[in-house]
Amino acid sequence: MINLLRKILFPFAVLYGIITSIRNFLFDKGILKSYSFDVPVIAVGNLSVGGTGKTPQIEYLIRVLSSKHKVATLSRGYKRQSEGFVLADATSNAAILGDEPFQFYSKFPNILVAVDADRKNGIEQLLSQQDKPEVILLDDAFQHRKVKAGFYILLTSYGDLYSDDFMLPTGNLRESRSGAKRANLVVVTKCPATLSLDEQNKIKTKLKLEPNQELYFSYIDYDESIYSGDKTLKVSEVKNVNKLLLAGIAKPEPFFAYLENEDDFFMTFPDHHNFSEKDIISIEYQAIDDFIITTEKDYVRLRGKLANKQLFYLPIKSSFILESENFDKTILNYVGTSTRNR
């Protein structure tokens, strides 16, 4: 039924594609103003809606850069209950910042974490801080043309390549596939860790990258332990224990598969779901006294609402199949060169 509806809406997809192409043309020709800044700015995003692994990719960049530079992240703060520019501090929570920015703040206390739907204003506010950043990571900002980043990283999921997709609402693309030309490098995310060179080359052919664009392949690397507020357990210890697996992310199936046994219970919620009191009661009823294991992103929204002794999260990170050193070098060279040339 959904596929039939998407086909019926094809004329609207064509119209949407024309509108976004005109918008990009106006920015490319300078008719609509883009703003550049005297600081290295890296934009991470995608062409499609849905989860392509932006959060673990941002965290990867934080780890690469934060030992050498003062790093800031700037996100829209999707579904947050605040407005305007907010700089994370000790009073912040997931409701104020949004789940993903609050996750950054919780994991990386030495960086600046800010949210602002107006990325231009957000960057200006960050640069007005006394301890201003040396590099800014823009989260989910590939289509935010009002800011001209110095470096663009485009993500596309292994199971849902932008080259095989179409414009909304028939497909999942936010803009035409030609928008990929703005990327300095492309990362195919959520690959099988054993992806062969032959298949990598087939994907490279499909994507039809420009000669100056770099291509990398990454996979989701799951932690060997789960964590609560005060306890750590090995995944192997809980793998065969009855538990409730809970996820409010775009594509939870790999998370479930990593942890599940045949007697587990599962609960799924929409991506970025704000858990209500009714949801909490339902979760407690389903779990009884079993472990509740959730994603790191969901944990920052559930912490304090469920018993600490029951609630655990499983961290993930982005790892590259090959050439991670080249990726790191490209990023560090951009930031270093940009900083020296300011």
Side-chain angles (χ1 to χ4, degrees):
M1 182 64 183
I2 293 175
N3 288 335
L4 176 60
L5 181 61
R6 285 195 165 206
K7 289 178 181 178
I8 292 171
L9 293 173
F10 177 78
F12 294 96
V14 174
L15 177 61
Y16 181 64
I18 292 171
I19 292 170
T20 56
S21 295
I22 292 172
R23 176 179 179 269
N24 281 327
F25 174 81
L26 294 175
F27 274 110
D28 291 340
K29 296 300 180 182
I31 299 169
L32 292 178
K33 176 71 172 173
S34 293
Y35 295 86
S36 300
F37 291 89
D38 189 24
V39 63
V41 176
I42 300 175
V44 179
N46 49 29
L47 295 185
S48 63
V49 296
T52 54
K54 292 185 295 295
T55 300
Q57 184 61 59
I58 291 283
E59 290 185 356
Y60 184 96
L61 292 170
I62 293 170
R63 293 186 182 98
V64 169
L65 291 165
S66 58
S67 63
K68 300 177 183 293
H69 302 280
K70 182 66 178 180
V71 175
T73 65
L74 179 60
S75 309
R76 176 177 49 161
Y78 184 62
K79 285 195 173 182
R80 63 186 169 115
Q81 297 171 15
S82 59
E83 295 182 358
F85 176 82
V86 179
L87 183 64
D89 61 24
T91 66
S92 299
N93 55 36
I96 292 172
L97 296 177
D99 49 16
E100 290 163 346
F102 186 60
Q103 181 176 317
F104 299 150
Y105 178 71
S106 301
K107 291 179 74 170
F108 304 101
N110 295 324
I111 73 169
L112 297 173
V113 175
V115 293
D116 197 335
D118 183 341
R119 307 303 171 90
K120 174 180 175 289
N121 180 69
I123 293 174
E124 290 170 345
Q125 293 294 327
L126 281 168
L127 295 180
S128 71
Q129 303 299 313
Q130 186 172 359
D131 185 21
K132 66 182 181 180
E134 296 173 323
V135 55
I136 298 173
L137 305 178
L138 296 184
D139 180 19
D140 196 13
F142 200 79
Q143 284 77 36
H144 201 91
R145 300 296 305 274
K146 190 176 179 181
V147 168
K148 183 176 175 58
F151 197 92
Y152 288 89
I153 298 175
L154 177 64
L155 309 182
T156 184
S157 293
Y158 168 78
D160 191 18
L161 298 173
Y162 65 77
S163 58
D164 298 333
D165 209 342
F166 199 75
M167 297 293 301
L168 287 165
T170 297
N172 292 314
L173 294 184
R174 299 170 172 178
E175 62 171 302
S176 166
R177 285 170 282 192
S178 63
K181 294 179 180 179
R182 298 198 302 275
N184 295 86
L185 60 83
V186 176
V187 181
V188 181
T189 63
K190 302 184 178 181
C191 297
T194 56
L195 188 70
S196 68
L197 283 172
D198 183 56
E199 190 164 4
Q200 291 178 39
N201 287 327
K202 288 179 181 177
I203 292 172
K204 184 175 182 179
T205 301
K206 269 188 172 184
L207 296 181
K208 298 178 181 179
L209 300 185
E210 299 295 311
N212 62 318
Q213 292 179 306
E214 297 180 20
L215 177 64
Y216 296 88
F217 296 86
S218 71
Y219 61 96
I220 296 297
D221 197 2
Y222 290 97
D223 204 296
E224 295 180 354
S225 298
I226 59 171
Y227 303 84
S228 70
D230 55 12
K231 194 172 184 179
T232 301
L233 296 172
K234 290 288 186 184
V235 169
S236 56
E237 294 179 60
V238 298
K239 184 84 172 180
N240 296 317
V241 174
N242 291 353
K243 53 193 175 292
L244 171 62
L245 301 178
L246 184 158
I249 57 176
K251 297 172 183 175
E253 293 81 12
F255 166 76
F256 290 147
Y258 182 73
L259 293 165
E260 69 179 315
N261 73 60
E262 61 183 12
D263 295 319
D264 287 339
F265 290 99
F266 304 87
M267 294 185 76
T268 58
F269 295 86
D271 198 13
H272 301 281
H273 182 69
N274 288 319
F275 294 95
S276 66
E277 188 174 339
K278 183 179 178 181
D279 292 329
I280 299 303
I281 293 171
S282 178
I283 292 166
E284 290 174 332
Y285 177 80
Q286 187 71 65
I288 310 177
D289 293 322
D290 291 342
F291 288 128
I292 302 168
I293 307 178
T294 189
T295 70
E296 198 167 9
K297 188 167 76 169
D298 292 309
Y299 179 79
V300 300
R301 283 178 278 118
L302 287 167
R303 187 170 63 188
K305 297 180 179 180
L306 292 165
N308 189 53
K309 66 180 181 180
Q310 274 186 285
L311 183 63
F312 288 78
Y313 68 90
L314 174 71
I316 63 172
K317 64 179 180 179
S318 179
S319 295
F320 288 95
I321 294 174
L322 292 171
E323 300 183 332
S324 61
E325 298 87 353
N326 286 347
F327 180 93
D328 297 355
K329 183 178 178 182
T330 296
I331 298 301
L332 289 167
N333 281 349
Y334 159 67
V335 174
T337 302
S338 179
T339 301
R340 288 193 299 272
N341 290 341
R342 280 193 294 178

